Amino acid sequence: MSESSGRLLLGIDLGSSGVKVVLLDPDRGIVASQSQEVALFSDHPGWAEADPQEWWRAVCSLVPAVLAMANATSADVTGVGVTGMVPAVLAIDDRGRPLRRAILQNDARASHEIQQIHEAMGDFNLLERTGSVLSQQSVAPTALWLARHEPEVWLKTRTIQGSYDWLARELGAEAYVEYNWALESGLYNIDMTPLHEIPRATGIAWPDLLDAKMPGTVVGAVSREAGDAAGLRPGTPLVVGGADHVLSAYGAGLIEQGDCLVKLGGAGDVLSVSDEVFLDARLYLDRHPMPGKWLPNGCMATSGSLLRWEQSIFNGVALEELDEAAAAAQPGALLSLPYFLGEKTPLHDPDLRGVIVGLHLGSTRGDIHRSFLEAIAYGFKAHFDVFEQGGLTIGTTRVTNGGSKSRLWREILADVLNRDLISLVEYPGASYGAAVIAGVGTGLIGDWSYVTGALEVAETISPNREHVALYEERYQEFLQLSDVTTSISHVLARSSS
């Protein structure tokens, strides 16, 4: 038995591109971490699906791997926490098995159903009841699409769960949905009671809505069958984790009012802590894992994904080389709109399109790249404006994910936001937050504030005062450019659909 006997916590994250597992020793930090890619299926334009059985196979492979890395055994694991993308939709039969692949949160197949439900709801104030408006992330339109296009699946559906809640059930937990899946699904009120008006508006028969459970709740124990498959000790407590973006923010140390996290991933996420319910139709609302706190947040459709597209049209040039060229370019020489996949928050417009203004024969690859980094930073600034318009003053701001490895991008972001930015060393993400919550739920970690200062700070970047005024001017022009090009983008989107 290892030196950490009985002191390890397992965090499992089901991501859109892979599964990640970490082992946490509360005294020593992360002692092992492994990840495995999984396939993303898009059988038709706008579809996004994943195979739950591939998730399960990855878990069964990764858990023994991290135990071996830590020279530990399953007996050393005190608790298991789960997290994942939200609100993925799994149609579950009466045996607890998925009836088809999971439909992910960025799937856009149900646009017609969104409109149909919206019309059926009339003046019903969904924002006030659930914290968010009806959108492609809402579960009811997806359910209506299933009932309409795959009636044989819907007929056999006994429950609907999210990705990580299903995983906990597969491991041996009772059937439940976590608070933030419930909230973002649009099927539950802010107080976590079922919202029956939405299922009625679909006009189809619905399975019973499961009880919503708060993060940190013990919901069962690893079963013998699951333990044999995944290399875990039967009887190990299973703890409700939460949505990946929520646990990523919590794990990064966001616990006080105004604490903020900017995530430079494939999409661009921004979250801030509020001690009060924060309602704004331009944003999403999630519950913080800590009782009584909230996480209003936004997700821009593109961030790192725009840079990957840029690399493809520049013949695969390395991002480091693009950054070097952009660092030599004049700030604000070009003005771009990053709507290459439409835009989610704060505009909620899938028919917007990307724009580059100011090109001339002397424009360089560095000018274009810098304009993309600046455009994404302007998008984040728009979210900060929404926070502050709602009375939420932003305080300490952290930046994580792949894009945070670019010092230039962090410098531009600090200049545009006009605030210090703290980056973290090799931030482990949501799986770390899930492991911490497993510790809170089992009592191994005594306080939610454990995450404060637990991770190493890489660097704090302060704004360059010479750039702040220029970027404020460009930001106002960015907003104007977005307004004047919207109608043209809509025409082009319709003509190409």
Side-chain angles (χ1 to χ4, degrees):
M1 194 166 289
S2 80
E3 62 179 336
S4 300
S5 177
R7 295 283 301 175
L8 295 180
L9 300 162
L10 187 71
I12 305 173
D13 178 18
L14 302 182
S16 56
S17 59
V19 175
K20 183 174 182 179
V21 175
V22 302
L23 269 178
L24 173 69
D25 182 316
D27 297 324
R28 297 187 294 146
I30 292 175
V31 294
S33 174
Q34 285 279 301
S35 60
Q36 184 172 314
E37 292 185 358
V38 295
L40 176 66
F41 298 90
S42 185
D43 296 344
H44 301 278
W47 288 26
E49 298 183 350
D51 181 359
Q53 296 310 316
E54 190 176 5
W55 291 337
W56 178 244
R57 289 191 295 270
V59 169
C60 292
S61 171
L62 291 170
V63 171
V66 294
L67 288 171
M69 285 182 66
N71 191 29
T73 72
S74 60
D76 295 321
V77 178
T78 298
V80 180
V82 290
T83 181
M85 68 208 99
V86 65
V89 176
L90 278 78
I92 308 295
D93 68 12
D94 54 6
R95 298 179 303 152
R97 304 297 185 185
L99 288 159
R100 69 181 312 283
R101 292 194 301 232
I103 300 176
L104 305 185
Q105 73 286 348
N106 56 344
D107 186 280
R109 76 186 68 195
S111 57
H112 177 73
E113 287 74 19
I114 292 172
Q115 184 61 33
Q116 180 179 333
I117 295 172
H118 179 76
E119 292 172 358
M121 295 296 294
D123 295 330
F124 186 86
N125 193 332
L126 194 63
L127 175 67
E128 186 176 277
R129 294 286 293 275
T130 71
S132 299
V133 298
L134 193 70
S135 72
Q136 76 178 43
Q137 293 204 155
S138 304
V139 169
T142 300
L144 180 54
W145 186 96
L146 282 173
R148 180 172 291 155
H149 296 276
E150 298 181 9
E152 71 287 352
V153 169
W154 188 248
L155 187 64
K156 296 177 183 177
T157 299
R158 294 294 174 265
T159 58
I160 299 175
Q161 286 186 283
S163 59
Y164 50 100
D165 297 334
W166 165 80
L167 175 60
R169 186 176 182 176
E170 190 76 0
L171 286 167
E174 63 187 78
Y176 71 93
V177 292
E178 183 267 332
Y179 271 8
N180 282 303
W181 187 94
L183 199 59
E184 292 208 25
S185 74
L187 301 175
Y188 294 75
N189 293 290
I190 288 177
D191 66 2
M192 294 294 107
T193 57
L195 179 64
H196 298 295
E197 289 87 345
I198 287 289
R200 282 199 293 266
T202 65
I204 59 175
W206 270 75
D208 292 336
L209 297 179
L210 296 169
D211 288 343
K213 302 289 187 181
M214 69 179 294
T217 304
V218 177
V219 283
V222 173
S223 68
R224 180 162 301 281
E225 180 183 4
D228 289 344
L232 287 168
R233 176 178 55 83
T236 303
L238 297 168
V239 181
V240 178
D244 54 3
H245 60 292
V246 171
L247 298 201
S248 185
Y250 168 65
L254 270 68
I255 62 172
E256 300 293 342
Q257 165 96 353
D259 285 351
C260 186
L261 177 67
V262 173
K263 294 173 62 181
L264 298 175
D269 294 314
V270 55
L271 309 94
S272 187
V273 180
S274 174
D275 292 337
E276 306 290 338
V277 173
F278 187 102
L279 298 180
D280 194 297
R282 293 169 290 183
L283 300 179
Y284 305 121
L285 179 67
D286 287 293
R287 295 183 66 145
H288 194 284
M290 296 174 65
K293 292 182 180 289
W294 300 85
L295 275 171
N297 62 88
C299 177
M300 302 190 311
T302 62
S303 179
S305 57
L306 175 54
L307 306 188
R308 288 195 292 271
W309 173 83
E310 179 192 14
Q311 285 181 284
S312 71
I313 66 170
F314 286 148
N315 297 319
V317 62
L319 288 172
E320 293 80 5
E321 186 176 338
L322 289 172
D323 273 8
E324 184 178 350
Q330 177 184 346
L334 302 176
L335 187 60
S336 294
L337 299 179
Y339 310 142
F340 285 64
L341 282 175
E343 187 56 292
K344 296 174 75 175
T345 61
L347 301 177
H348 296 294
D349 191 340
D351 291 330
L352 292 178
R353 294 295 180 261
V355 175
I356 307 174
V357 170
L359 287 168
H360 55 86
L361 292 180
S363 297
T364 67
R365 192 165 62 183
D367 292 325
I368 294 172
H369 183 60
R370 186 174 191 114
S371 77
F372 286 167
L373 301 180
E374 292 167 345
I376 297 164
Y378 299 143
F380 281 117
K381 183 174 174 62
H383 288 82
F384 277 58
D385 285 353
V386 176
F387 289 142
E388 295 186 353
Q389 289 162 12
L392 180 58
T393 300
I394 301 300
T396 301
T397 303
R398 297 168 175 84
V399 58
T400 62
N401 287 58
S404 66
K405 296 176 183 177
S406 166
R407 194 177 201 282
L408 174 64
W409 203 356
R410 285 184 281 125
E411 289 174 349
I412 289 172
L413 194 58
D415 294 344
V416 169
L417 298 177
N418 191 21
R419 61 180 59 249
D420 292 347
L421 284 184
I422 300 170
S423 57
L424 302 174
V425 174
E426 296 182 357
Y427 178 57
S431 54
Y432 169 72
V436 172
I437 289 180
V440 173
T442 58
L444 189 58
I445 292 176
D447 195 287
W448 289 99
S449 63
Y450 169 87
V451 296
T452 305
L455 298 177
E456 183 182 353
V457 172
E459 185 177 22
T460 299
I461 292 182
S462 298
N464 181 333
R465 299 302 170 190
E466 295 180 4
H467 295 164
V468 169
L470 169 65
Y471 279 137
E472 178 58 35
E473 292 179 11
R474 289 291 184 269
Y475 173 63
Q476 297 303 322
E477 292 156 358
F478 169 88
L479 297 176
Q480 295 173 33
L481 182 63
S482 181
D483 287 341
V484 301
T485 58
T486 293
S487 61
I488 300 172
S489 288
H490 289 175
V491 170
L492 293 173
R494 286 193 295 270
S495 65
S496 61
S497 62

